[in-house]
Amino acid sequence: MYKLSSKPLISKAELSERVNSLAAEIAAAGEFDILLGILTGSFVFVADLVRAMPKANEKGMRVKFFKASSYGDSTESGTLTVSGMENLDLTGKRVLLVDDILDTGNTLYRLVPMLKERGAAVVKTCVLLDKPSRREAPIEADFVGFKIENKFVVGYGLDYADDYRTLPEIMTMEEV
Ligand code: XMP
């Protein structure tokens, strides 16, 4: 059994400030043709990130999403299911793959080669949160918002069994 923490791990103001600085880091690293968000957890982060990247959008950076899920109704990792990638034309494209959190790394580790197989010229990865202590796969993200401890986090798009996605800050789930 888990319950929501009483205090945020990352406040609205901290999220906003870091998303803006992350957008500047990404812009300084070059242009991307497509930002690919992984549903569902990244939807809030992507919405804020693209609005902090006005130059990229002026230049016509596309924003697309596909679904990848490795979690059921628990905090333990499960099988990866991918859908919506079949319609993506990535031939010769510079792709920025965006996820909410890099945890074991198994999801991004499997997705990056799939995008390259679909013809992407460059695939860079961006995550809002990174839990390095949980890593199983040999992968690091190119752009990281916050490194966090090994706590299950919710809010700002992240869920626990589909709850709490709409919380505006990052909260933790605590075992009771
Ligand atoms: P892996 O372990 O493959 O995990 O790097 C990536 C996906 O797992 C989900 N995930 C979480 N979701 N709170 C969440 O709401 C967490 O603390 C958490 N840790 C991993 C997430 O969907 C991510 O895309």
Side-chain angles (χ1 to χ4, degrees):
M1 264 291 276
Y2 285 84
K3 77 168 175 51
L4 196 61
S5 60
S6 50
K7 281 195 302 188
L9 180 69
I10 308 174
S11 69
K12 278 204 277 193
E14 288 166 329
L15 282 164
S16 160
E17 194 183 327
R18 183 61 188 126
V19 169
N20 284 328
S21 62
L22 198 54
E25 284 172 32
I26 294 167
E31 288 169 18
F32 290 95
D33 303 305
I34 304 180
L35 183 157
L36 262 187
I38 304 174
L39 292 171
T40 305
S42 77
F43 80 104
V44 177
F45 178 39
V46 169
D48 282 349
L49 192 63
V50 296
R51 285 177 295 170
M53 299 171 73
K55 290 233 164 66
N57 296 314
E58 267 168 32
K59 287 181 185 142
M61 182 183 71
R62 301 278 165 93
V63 180
K64 292 187 180 284
F65 290 92
F66 66 94
K67 176 126 186 121
S69 25
S70 55
Y71 280 70
D73 285 356
S74 81
T75 57
E76 289 307 313
S77 120
T79 325
L80 181 70
T81 315
V82 179
S83 62
M85 207 188 261
E86 51 294 343
N87 303 321
L88 293 174
D89 178 11
L90 302 180
T91 314
K93 300 282 196 281
R94 289 178 54 84
V95 176
L96 181 65
L97 180 63
V98 179
D99 204 0
D100 50 2
I101 184 165
L102 181 61
D103 190 337
T104 64
N106 291 323
T107 305
L108 287 189
Y109 188 67
R110 283 186 265 178
L111 289 176
V112 171
M114 288 185 200
L115 301 179
K116 290 196 174 149
E117 273 163 32
R118 302 194 70 81
V122 173
V123 180
K124 298 278 182 197
T125 53
C126 172
V127 292
L128 176 70
L129 305 172
D130 181 8
K131 280 193 220 173
S133 63
R134 289 254 307 163
R135 200 78 83 253
E136 292 170 8
I139 185 162
E140 296 303 326
D142 297 294
F143 305 98
V144 173
F146 300 89
K147 284 197 195 284
I148 60 168
E149 286 172 42
N150 182 17
K151 299 232 163 105
F152 196 85
V153 283
V154 297
Y156 199 71
L158 290 104
D159 73 306
Y160 174 66
D162 254 345
D163 283 330
Y164 306 122
R165 285 193 202 280
T166 56
L167 295 175
E169 20 198 32
I170 299 284
M171 309 290 283
T172 58
M173 297 300 292
E174 287 162 4
E175 218 160 339
V176 284

